[in-house]
Amino acid sequence: MSKDIFNTIDLNLLRVFLVLFQEKNTRKAAERLYVTQPAVSQNLKKLRHFFNDELFIKVPEGLQPTSKAEELAAKIIPALNDLQSSLNELEAFEPLTLKKKIRIAFAPQVMIRLSGTFILELREKAPFLEVEVVNWTSSTITDIESGQLLMGISYGLDVKPKHIREQKLVDLTGCCAVRKDHPIQSKSATPNEFSKYELASLFIPGWSEDLPVAAKKMKELSLPYKVGFRSAYPMAIVDVLHKSDMFFATSNLFPFSSYPSLRRIDIDTQDFELTYSLNSFFHQRNGNDPLTLWLNSLVKEELELAIQ
């Protein structure tokens, strides 16, 4: 069986060989490699032993490549140049020329506010990037693990696999949405005032599957509550609000300006926390991926604009 050269050679030696072949002088090669001249000579000795050839012969002008060195250079220089270009491309991340297909999951409260503007922003900054935005579901974390999804955006999770990273994007403030002529006409109301009306709630996997968060808070305060409607689709919630006295426990991310027939009522309480984070989730293998980092920053920017 022939020797597997690639798996047995120290690839750093090929870098030394390339510079020696270009400079044909150990002193100049050492300067380019930021090492001492004896270190270059020692590496040349290893190269000669590995390839069983002198590779470079001393001549008055410096070093003259042997025919073996010429042959070796013709084989490895193009490959090393390609490798250098590929590595440099990783550093020179350019969304305008990026051609790729990715999938991102948005939780319902994000979908209703961000999906359209986010896609338009992506089309402008990364015109060749094909992006599919899907709903956050009970399988989203599993899909991120398997690579079917690049990332997902939702509230923080109490439990997640250790190789799934979670990064805070923005803090949201809780409030309620009601129809414009709802019986509660004040700009803020206590949980006790809200308890007189039915609750419309989003069904968010991993966050409020068993019981809406607002209902849990009412229960903790020993207040009566009734869940009148639940859905994974924000537009269904909006439709119900238009036609009933239900209230929708949401946040300042809700696009009130897009629904003039609805209005915001703040929650007047010190009994529970009204601020909570909206986070991105991605696999740890993409922790330093330029595309993932860029998308996180873009989503964060869009969210910050949305809640101003």
Side-chain angles (χ1 to χ4, degrees):
M1 182 180 293
S2 60
K3 180 169 67 173
D4 187 344
I5 293 178
F6 183 81
N7 286 327
T8 53
I9 192 173
D10 180 352
L11 296 181
N12 290 314
L13 292 177
L14 296 182
R15 170 68 173 154
V16 173
F17 170 82
L18 173 63
V19 175
L20 276 171
F21 186 84
Q22 292 170 337
E23 297 294 342
K24 298 179 176 59
N25 182 290
T26 55
R27 179 183 59 80
K28 291 181 179 179
E31 290 174 355
R32 276 187 57 186
L33 293 165
Y34 299 99
V35 297
T36 64
Q37 192 170 349
V40 172
S41 298
Q42 184 63 31
N43 283 326
L44 176 55
K45 182 178 179 181
K46 293 178 181 178
L47 281 163
R48 285 168 169 164
H49 175 75
F50 189 87
F51 289 106
N52 193 28
D53 189 88
E54 282 296 303
L55 296 178
F56 299 96
I57 307 298
K58 285 186 179 181
V59 295
E61 296 79 15
L63 297 175
Q64 180 180 348
T66 65
S67 58
K68 178 75 171 180
E70 296 278 3
E71 179 186 4
L72 184 59
K75 295 285 188 181
I76 71 167
I77 288 178
L80 289 176
N81 286 340
D82 287 345
L83 179 59
Q84 181 181 18
S85 296
S86 296
L87 291 174
N88 287 339
E89 285 176 6
L90 290 176
E91 291 298 317
F93 173 72
E94 179 49 71
L96 280 172
T97 59
L98 185 64
K99 294 182 179 180
K100 196 171 185 179
K101 181 176 182 179
I102 60 170
R103 297 174 76 237
I104 301 174
F106 281 173
Q109 72 278 16
V110 183
M111 185 75 76
I112 192 174
R113 182 62 181 265
L114 204 65
S115 56
T117 55
F118 177 67
I119 291 298
L120 290 175
E121 189 73 11
L122 276 179
R123 284 181 60 185
E124 180 179 339
K125 295 184 175 180
F128 303 110
L129 183 65
E130 187 177 344
V131 183
E132 181 182 358
V133 177
V134 300
N135 277 312
W136 182 287
T137 69
S138 57
S139 67
T140 291
I141 293 297
T142 302
D143 291 341
I144 292 174
E145 287 184 278
S146 67
Q148 294 182 55
L149 283 169
L150 179 63
M151 61 192 297
I153 312 295
S154 187
Y155 297 130
L157 299 178
D158 293 331
V159 179
K160 64 181 185 302
K162 63 181 181 180
H163 46 272
I164 296 297
R165 291 191 180 180
E166 184 174 2
Q167 178 178 319
K168 186 171 85 168
L169 298 174
V170 292
D171 283 323
L172 302 180
T173 301
C175 62
C176 292
V178 297
R179 62 187 176 90
K180 199 166 185 177
D181 54 351
H182 190 277
I184 298 178
Q185 284 294 305
S186 57
K187 291 184 178 180
S188 66
T190 64
N192 184 57
E193 291 175 276
F194 282 115
S195 69
K196 300 171 185 177
Y197 303 94
E198 291 184 325
L199 167 67
S201 171
L202 279 172
F203 180 86
I204 306 171
W207 175 258
S208 60
E209 291 174 304
D210 54 343
L211 192 67
V213 173
K216 291 178 182 178
K217 299 299 182 184
M218 295 280 198
K219 187 175 182 180
E220 290 172 8
L221 296 173
S222 299
L223 291 173
Y225 66 87
K226 182 177 181 181
V227 180
F229 182 73
R230 296 196 74 187
S231 175
Y233 301 99
M235 293 308 300
I237 300 287
V238 169
D239 187 52
V240 165
L241 292 181
H242 282 137
K243 300 172 181 177
S244 72
D245 285 341
M246 290 188 197
F247 70 96
F248 173 38
T250 181
S251 74
N252 55 331
L253 186 61
F254 185 85
F256 286 97
S257 60
S258 298
Y259 299 98
S261 57
L262 300 181
R263 60 186 172 87
R264 169 177 171 169
I265 300 180
D266 290 329
I267 304 169
D268 181 10
T269 184
Q270 296 181 347
D271 293 318
F272 51 82
E273 181 62 50
L274 290 173
T275 301
Y276 41 93
S277 65
L278 194 62
N279 303 342
S280 69
F281 299 85
F282 50 93
H283 200 285
Q284 65 180 14
R285 63 174 170 263
N286 294 320
N288 292 317
D289 171 44
L291 175 58
T292 302
L293 295 174
W294 179 69
L295 287 171
N296 264 320
S297 124
L298 188 63
V299 173
K300 178 180 175 66
E301 181 181 324
E302 291 295 315
L303 286 169
E304 288 173 343
L305 287 172
I307 63 177
Q308 282 182 356

